[in-house]
Amino acid sequence: MHADDQVGDGVPADLAALLREVDDRPVRISASACGDCGGRTFFVHFDEVEGGVRRDCGACGGRAFIADSAEYWEEAEPCVAECPCGCDEFEVAVAFSLTGDGSVRWVTVGLRCQQDGTVAVCADWKISYGPTDHLLTMT
């Protein structure tokens, strides 16, 4: 872990460790929670090429995009995340790699399978604009 890393409440330790490995810059890692019901497990749609993720709450079906994914979703060709065990419901955490001034430069989305606990990164993408503070709340 980097001395300036911040890991939010509710992020499983194994998922935080995986997300920490992605970049050598300080990261802020946040767990996803449904804004409608507070649910913490999701069905995940992602695009590795465009770099975007949409999560659908497993409890209420509420949909949300992670970071700036909505801006690129029309061009996306999303896949549905599925664990090798066949499960398609996940805990989701987002790592924001930060520059020296605290700007977001990279977004990485990690998943933890609800059935067997497997962790994996489903998508990551670079942020090439500023300001970026608003992204930190879009998990």
Side-chain angles (χ1 to χ4, degrees):
M1 296 290 278
H2 191 279
D4 294 327
D5 287 348
Q6 300 172 31
V7 179
D9 293 336
V11 179
D14 54 351
L15 189 50
L18 174 71
L19 290 169
R20 179 63 213 118
E21 293 175 8
V22 174
D23 197 336
D24 62 351
R25 288 181 277 219
V27 294
R28 180 172 170 184
I29 302 173
S30 300
S32 288
C34 178
D36 295 331
C37 74
R40 293 200 175 249
T41 60
F42 302 93
F43 301 99
V44 178
H45 303 263
F46 67 98
D47 184 317
E48 292 176 299
V49 176
E50 292 296 326
V53 177
R54 187 188 82 206
R55 59 176 177 75
D56 300 349
C57 180
C60 74
R63 291 182 171 174
F65 289 98
I66 293 179
D68 61 355
S69 298
E71 296 176 32
Y72 307 101
W73 204 248
E74 281 190 32
E75 293 85 31
E77 294 182 22
C79 300
V80 176
E82 185 175 312
C83 181
C85 77
C87 182
D88 61 356
E89 197 165 358
F90 302 90
E91 288 177 81
V92 178
V94 183
F96 298 97
S97 295
L98 307 173
T99 63
D101 68 0
S103 296
V104 176
R105 279 299 157 246
W106 206 264
V107 177
T108 305
V109 180
L111 308 177
R112 185 173 189 278
C113 177
Q114 287 302 280
Q115 186 166 315
D116 70 3
T118 297
V119 294
V121 170
C122 72
D124 62 345
W125 61 96
K126 186 175 182 177
I127 303 298
S128 300
Y129 60 85
T132 60
D133 292 349
H134 67 288
L135 297 176
L136 295 171
T137 63
M138 300 174 77
T139 61

